[in-house]
Structures are given as structure tokens and as C-alpha cells.
Amino acid sequence: MKIAGIDYGDQPVMLAPMEDVTDRSFRLICKELGADATYSEFVSADALIRNIAATTRKLAIDPAERPTAIQIYGREVEPMVEAARMVEEAGPDILDINFGCPVKKVAGKGAGAGMLRDIPKMLEITRAVVDAVKIPVTVKTRLGWDHNNKVIVELAEQLQDCGIAAITVHGRTRSQMYTGEADWEMIARVKENPRLTIPVIGNGDIDSPERLRDAFSRYGVDGVMVGRAAIGNPWIFNELKHGLYPDDNRYTPLSLEQKFAIVRRQIQESIGRIDEYRGILHIRRHLAVCSLFKGIPNFRQTRIAMLRASTFAELAAVLDSVEAKLRSGEPFE
Ligand SMILES: Cc1cc2nc3c(=O)[nH]c(=O)nc-3n(C[C@H](O)[C@H](O)[C@H](O)COP(=O)(O)O)c2cc1C
């Protein structure tokens, strides 16, 4: 897949943008483990142009994560244009616009997926942003506002006419939030439209090599984006690729030891980026769903200790003992 001349390789699997999850450290880890491209957390255009420090920090990218996109959201043309110029200065390969976020504080104010209720405004913003920057602009959105308004096939064409270089479609409506299953038939219809020539990236519920294979071979998308399945599980990219290309030794499955080393690195980098206490709070979301700790008999007390630890020393001690027990086969109690 190529977006405006940028080569993403064959059948790319990208890390989806996720607020409070896809910080630079996590993105880099996913990239090292096989993700073909990364996206920043969404960045509020309004906060960016007011130079809010916590927001401008989100523009930092690492050369090793390229090709990478910075994503912005907002509901008015002028702030979006101004923010787009600031993002361009930060040097990402792609500027992505979020027209898909369903949460009330965003969509309720007309930004993110809220824009699916005002398509003329969405198109106006897209045109203005495309005109304001030299880097390629892409859009990530949903099927439509609700079940009765699945506008995506026509909308993708309208956005293409505004000059975007690719579109990512999450196969749910705003009303669905994250419930039900992503509708990949509908994503396929976007791709099948003969008038649509830009790449289509499919998104929603990809968590196994089987689903990934279907996305490409059955639904025909050009690229795939993986979100929730990567939280606490950055090696999913390695595992997905190994499933697709079992003979490719770049994707040999990771050992227990390697996975624990990655978890420790995540914790250390999170602490280094924020501070000890908040860094640990930040990483709990990953630990809570980490595949390393799934299905272990009698793990409940250890899980509680792991998720309550508030210093690095405490957390490291829990992890060391879990790893030792898993390796020796000693039971948890
Ligand atoms: C915690 C969380 C934060 C998210 N933040 C963003 C975001 O900032 N921008 C965005 O476009 N989508 C965001 N999403 C949506 C994901 O990018 C993705 O579209 C969605 O989770 C469906 O893909 P999945 O089934 O692979 O998770 C977020 C999702 C989650 C779970």
C-alpha cells in the first residue's frame, strides 16, 4: 500500500490511534514488534493552538516509528487549519483527521464522530486542512452516525474529492460506540466502489491472524489498523504477521522472557516520561489486560497485588515472582 507515494509495504498492519495508550514509547515498541505504521493519540486542535503543554508534547515523534501520523480533531475550520500547520512543523509523514471519536465530550460537541451529523462542515474542514499543509492528509471515521445513516460509501468519495490521500473506516456507527461487531461487509463496499481510488484501511475487531487474513482476502482492504488487541499486548503485531507469514523469521513468536522484558520496558519508559506514581497508573491499563496474565489458575491475589503496586520496586517484585513461577511451573495461590 502506498499513501501519496509513501510505501507502507504489502498488506500493512498499523497501530490504531488510541488516547492515553499510543504514546511515543508504546508506538515504538509496537513498531519494533512488527507494526508497519503508527498513529499518535488524537490531539485537540483547540488545545494545540492554545499551546497547552500536555498537548504539544503529543506531537513528539521518533524517526524509528516512521511512517507515522499525527491525528487531530476539532469542530471549527480555523482552529483545525492552524493546528494542521503546527502538526506539519512537527514532521509526521501524514496528518490524520479524526471524524470517528464517539465519546460524549468530543462527539457531543460536534467534533470526532459528531461531524457525521454535519457532513458539509466535515467536508469544509477537510478541504481547508488539505489546502493548508503540504503533507498528505488522511481521515479516520466510522460507517455513519447510526443504523439509519450509514453514509460511508458516499462519504468516502466526497472526502476523496476534498483531496485526502487515504481513508480509515472503523466498521461501526457512532451509536454503536464499541458494542456489537464491526461490519466488515460495509467496509468492503467502500473499497469496492470503482470511483474510489485512494487506499482504504479497515479497522475493527482484528485480534487474530484469521481475521487479519479475511480483512485482506475477503474484504479486500489495502491496510488494516489494530487498536484494542494491542493494549497490554504489543506483540500482537508479531503474532499476526507470524500467522500470515509463518516462514518469515522476522516474526518468530516471542518467548515468555522476551514478553516480560517488554512489559518492564513499558513500565520504565512510562515512569521516565511522567513520574513514578503516575507512570505506574498509566501502565495499569496495559497490565490489566496483558495476555501474559490470562488464564493462570489462582492468579487473583497476585493480580490484585500487581494492579495495586504503586512503586517501581513493588511492581518489579511482583513481576519477577510471576515470571519465575510461570517458568518453573510453580502454582499460584
Ligand atoms: C482507549 C481507546 C482510545 C482511543 N482513542 C482514539 C483516538 O485518539 N483516535 C481515534 O481515531 N480512535 C481512537 N480509538 C478508536 C480506535 O482507534 C479504533 O478505531 C477502535 O478501537 C476499533 O478498533 P479495534 O477493534 O482494533 O480496537 C480509541 C479506542 C480506544 C479503545
Side-chain angles (χ1 to χ4, degrees):
M1 178 180 83
K2 278 191 178 166
I3 299 180
I6 302 166
D7 194 355
Y8 286 73
D10 235 18
Q11 304 194 326
V13 185
M14 309 149 102
L15 172 65
M18 287 184 283
E19 187 193 16
D20 215 26
V21 175
T22 55
D23 52 70
R24 186 168 51 164
S25 150
F26 186 67
R27 298 198 304 262
L28 208 50
I29 289 171
C30 291
K31 186 84 196 326
E32 289 171 19
L33 290 170
D36 292 295
T38 61
Y39 281 68
S40 71
E41 307 172 58
F42 70 179
V43 175
S44 155
D46 291 335
L48 196 57
I49 64 177
R50 278 186 282 126
N51 267 313
I52 309 283
T55 303
T56 52
R57 267 200 294 276
K58 291 185 183 165
L59 301 186
I61 52 180
D62 191 301
E65 57 174 316
R66 292 187 186 282
T68 188
I70 294 181
Q71 187 189 62
I72 58 172
Y73 72 96
R75 60 181 171 157
E76 299 299 340
V77 176
E78 271 316 305
M80 285 292 275
V81 162
E82 212 180 312
R85 293 199 177 110
M86 291 174 74
V87 165
E88 186 173 34
E89 290 282 300
D93 302 279
I94 299 275
L95 167 67
D96 188 66
I97 309 179
N98 178 315
F99 291 137
C101 178
V103 305
K104 222 172 178 175
K105 69 171 184 185
V106 174
K109 291 183 185 156
M115 212 56 87
L116 288 163
R117 286 208 289 194
D118 190 351
I119 304 287
K121 183 79 165 284
M122 180 194 281
L123 301 178
E124 190 190 349
I125 288 178
T126 306
R127 251 188 313 264
V129 168
V130 168
D131 287 346
V133 295
K134 293 191 190 68
I135 53 174
V137 175
T138 58
V139 161
K140 179 167 178 283
T141 188
R142 290 183 172 231
L143 303 179
W145 179 259
D146 60 21
H147 185 67
N148 299 317
N149 293 282
K150 291 189 181 172
V151 294
I152 191 62
V153 176
E154 198 192 339
L155 176 61
E157 235 185 285
Q158 292 171 305
L159 287 164
Q160 174 177 265
D161 291 343
C162 294
I164 65 165
I167 185 164
T168 303
V169 181
H170 174 193
R172 288 185 173 83
T173 62
R174 188 275 169 176
S175 303
Q176 283 179 290
M177 304 296 282
Y178 291 95
T179 62
E181 281 194 11
D183 181 352
W184 278 82
E185 300 285 348
M186 194 85 190
I187 298 175
R189 282 178 49 199
V190 176
K191 178 62 200 169
E192 282 159 12
N193 177 359
R195 287 185 297 271
L196 200 80
T197 53
I198 55 172
V200 175
I201 300 158
N203 169 238
D205 304 341
I206 299 295
D207 59 1
S208 67
E210 292 70 31
R211 287 190 170 187
L212 180 63
R213 199 172 291 124
D214 273 358
F216 288 120
S217 57
R218 191 161 154 208
Y219 302 113
V221 293
D222 300 290
V224 162
M225 214 179 241
V226 175
R228 288 165 297 174
I231 306 177
N233 207 21
W235 42 80
I236 180 97
F237 294 98
N238 177 289
E239 289 170 0
L240 290 171
K241 293 279 185 84
H242 176 67
L244 246 57
Y245 316 110
D247 299 329
D248 188 331
N249 55 19
R250 282 176 300 171
Y251 308 120
T252 312
L254 266 56
S255 65
L256 196 70
E257 200 175 359
Q258 287 170 312
K259 289 183 180 177
F260 269 94
I262 289 164
V263 172
R264 290 191 184 91
R265 172 174 162 195
Q266 280 188 269
I267 297 166
Q268 274 158 346
E269 291 185 353
S270 179
I271 290 173
R273 186 171 61 93
I274 325 175
D275 59 43
E276 185 173 23
Y277 181 65
R278 287 182 306 149
I280 287 173
L281 286 188
H282 174 77
I283 222 66
R284 277 186 194 161
R285 161 185 235 149
H286 292 264
L287 294 173
V289 293
C290 180
S291 57
L292 275 174
F293 312 118
K294 288 211 170 125
I296 304 175
N298 300 320
F299 191 65
R300 194 167 170 272
Q301 288 310 322
T302 313
R303 173 184 295 282
I304 291 171
M306 179 173 74
L307 296 178
R308 281 197 184 148
S310 57
T311 65
F312 177 70
E314 244 178 282
L315 184 52
V318 177
L319 288 176
D320 288 351
S321 104
V322 174
E323 184 180 0
K325 281 187 178 163
L326 288 177
R327 288 173 68 166
S328 68
E330 192 190 327
F332 289 81
E333 52 200 39

